[in-house]
Amino acid sequence: MSRFLNDRFSSLKPYTPGEQPKSTQKLIKLNTNENPYEPAPGVMKVISDAELRKLKLYSEPDASLLTEAIAGFYGLKNEQVIAGNGSDEILAFIFMAFQGRGGRVLYPEISYSFYPVYCDIFGAEGVKVPLGEDFSVRPEDYYDADGTIVITNPNAPTGMALSRRQIEDILRHNRDSLVVIDEAYVDFGAESAVGLIETYDNLLVVQTLSKSRSLAGARVGFAMGSSELIADLNRIKFSFNPYNLDRLAILAGAEAMKDREHFEKTRRRIMETREAFVTEMEKMGFKVLPSKANFVFASSDRISGEEYFSQLRKYNIIVRHFKGEKTGNYVRITIGTPEEMKALTEATGEILSGLADGSRR
């Protein structure tokens, strides 16, 4: 590091994203929870030559075309929605603006690894709340919390989800604390907390178009909550980066939100593929946590998580392995197309057979 870096950032441990190979031509890439299907047809249509020529102009700071489409989808008012450069930016605004009493932010001990990074960057005290023995988030552990609560639902990397009733329990027990529900994966079988916004003014719901709407490369995220909370976030945004979404991302995001048929078709296809894949993995003796996300968290008592990750790579299949005492024996596997998941199960069968006879591919 240079001699000019602020001392308080010298020990910062940056977030480590999943591997992004420059070429995926020969790879089955199941490590970053991307959607295997193309965006809605309207997305491609709006990215026209005429719109490309408009890139010489600044984008609309309010991104109203996009926020109106989001509000329309969820039955909210436009002033209850803010859009950003991926949900990561929205979360950064939240960690910057809302740190609870004494600058504390509570989140599950195993969850999205950006949370502790944001605590370090914005000077908050990060409080890791233990999970249950079964990796579950226990609502009672967050009752009467002394700080802002941030929970990914479904959680990552486990895929396990709280019900809307459980989320409401947390809200009822924390009327004077902000509760942030990060719903990056909610569209794959979990219950959204959006319907609780009108009842609880201490709720912010964060979502992304990266997963269920196939726009990971467009970097579009958003938050929904009371108009007062959204006004607070806009205060941060307009003090930091007013033009945080480019013109094409706004257009693409609005079209993706409008096409409900494509959204329903692709997310249903992923859920069906997930259930079929889980069945096959369990037949081979894997333990797979109950997932409501577009990925699963799986382990085997026959092969370590790290070894399984390494062996799959020899078959040109990339999954995600998280080191750690509680997660080290697991791998997180994104749900791809049926053909991709079949290739993975076939490779897994060969790997396990190799263990049985002492050979290696």
Side-chain angles (χ1 to χ4, degrees):
M1 66 185 72
S2 79
R3 57 192 173 92
F4 303 104
L5 181 67
N6 188 309
D7 288 343
R8 76 185 189 90
F9 296 131
S10 61
S11 60
L12 188 68
K13 295 181 180 179
Y15 168 74
T16 303
E19 181 184 358
Q20 293 285 0
K22 292 184 178 180
S23 174
T24 58
Q25 188 173 0
K26 296 181 180 180
L27 290 174
I28 296 177
K29 189 172 179 296
L30 303 174
N31 66 325
T32 50
N33 302 337
E34 293 150 319
N35 194 312
Y37 303 109
E38 292 183 352
V43 171
M44 272 71 84
K45 292 180 181 178
V46 296
I47 310 299
S48 63
D49 288 343
E51 291 299 335
L52 290 171
R53 284 192 286 272
K54 291 181 183 178
L55 288 177
K56 64 185 179 182
L57 305 173
Y58 282 111
S59 58
E60 181 197 12
D62 289 333
S64 61
L65 184 71
L66 173 59
T67 55
E68 287 171 6
I70 295 168
F73 185 91
Y74 286 106
L76 300 172
K77 300 181 183 69
N78 195 40
E79 58 266 29
Q80 292 177 293
V81 181
I82 181 175
N85 189 241
S87 59
D88 288 337
E89 183 184 55
I90 295 293
L91 288 166
F93 291 161
I94 290 170
F95 275 72
M96 193 186 308
F98 310 113
Q99 296 183 6
R101 296 181 294 274
R104 304 179 81 212
V105 179
L106 297 86
Y107 50 85
E109 62 170 333
I110 298 172
S111 191
Y112 188 28
S113 53
F114 236 136
Y115 299 157
V117 177
Y118 284 150
C119 284
D120 289 343
I121 289 175
F122 298 117
E125 177 191 354
V127 180
K128 297 182 179 180
V129 180
L131 297 177
E133 289 296 321
D134 60 352
F135 286 97
S136 62
V137 173
R138 298 173 298 200
E140 60 271 20
D141 291 342
Y142 295 86
Y143 290 174
D144 303 315
D146 183 17
T148 292
I149 297 167
V150 182
I151 296 175
T152 304
N153 193 54
N155 197 15
T158 67
M160 298 173 67
L162 294 172
S163 68
R164 186 184 291 118
R165 180 188 60 77
Q166 290 175 306
I167 293 170
E168 186 167 15
D169 283 344
I170 296 172
L171 287 161
R172 286 191 297 104
H173 284 85
N174 291 282
R175 295 309 297 255
D176 293 324
S177 294
L178 180 67
V179 178
V180 180
I181 304 299
D182 182 354
E183 294 186 343
Y185 310 103
V186 74
D187 294 321
F188 301 103
E191 295 180 280
S192 175
V194 173
L196 300 173
I197 286 173
E198 298 295 345
T199 305
Y200 297 92
D201 65 355
N202 60 325
L203 171 64
L204 269 175
V205 178
V206 179
Q207 290 194 14
T208 176
L209 302 191
S210 295
K211 316 301 180 184
S212 57
R213 289 178 173 83
S214 307
L215 289 179
R219 309 309 303 128
V220 181
F222 56 97
M224 299 168 285
S226 71
S227 57
E228 291 82 6
L229 283 173
I230 299 303
D232 291 341
L233 289 176
N234 271 312
R235 181 185 294 269
I236 298 296
K237 168 190 164 178
F238 280 91
S239 301
F240 180 74
N241 184 15
Y243 302 104
N244 61 337
L245 278 169
D246 67 66
R247 300 179 67 92
L248 301 183
I250 292 171
L251 288 169
E255 286 301 316
M257 290 303 304
K258 292 174 185 176
D259 195 334
R260 290 176 181 259
E261 181 180 355
H262 184 81
F263 164 71
E264 291 291 347
K265 180 176 67 175
T266 53
R267 77 184 186 106
R268 187 165 51 248
R269 190 180 298 171
I270 289 169
M271 288 189 286
E272 291 170 352
T273 302
R274 180 188 67 208
E275 298 314 308
F277 174 66
V278 169
T279 297
E280 292 302 311
M281 292 294 281
E282 289 178 339
K283 286 179 181 178
M284 290 186 284
F286 275 79
K287 175 185 178 182
V288 184
L289 299 187
S291 174
K292 297 293 185 181
N294 66 332
F295 58 84
V296 297
F297 208 44
S299 70
S300 171
D301 58 7
R302 296 176 61 188
I303 185 171
S304 72
E306 187 170 10
E307 176 68 7
Y308 182 44
F309 164 83
S310 299
Q311 289 296 321
L312 284 174
R313 188 60 187 259
K314 296 178 182 179
Y315 288 80
N316 292 321
I317 299 171
I318 309 178
V319 296
R320 191 86 190 265
H321 176 250
F322 298 89
K323 294 181 179 180
E325 182 181 350
K326 295 183 179 180
T327 60
N329 202 45
Y330 287 79
V331 295
R332 191 192 68 190
I333 305 169
T334 302
I335 302 302
T337 64
E339 294 76 19
E340 289 172 330
M341 306 319 290
K342 181 180 179 182
L344 187 147
T345 54
E346 289 177 349
T348 300
E350 291 186 24
I351 292 168
L352 295 179
S353 295
L355 293 175
D357 62 23
S359 65
R360 286 287 188 272
R361 176 181 167 89

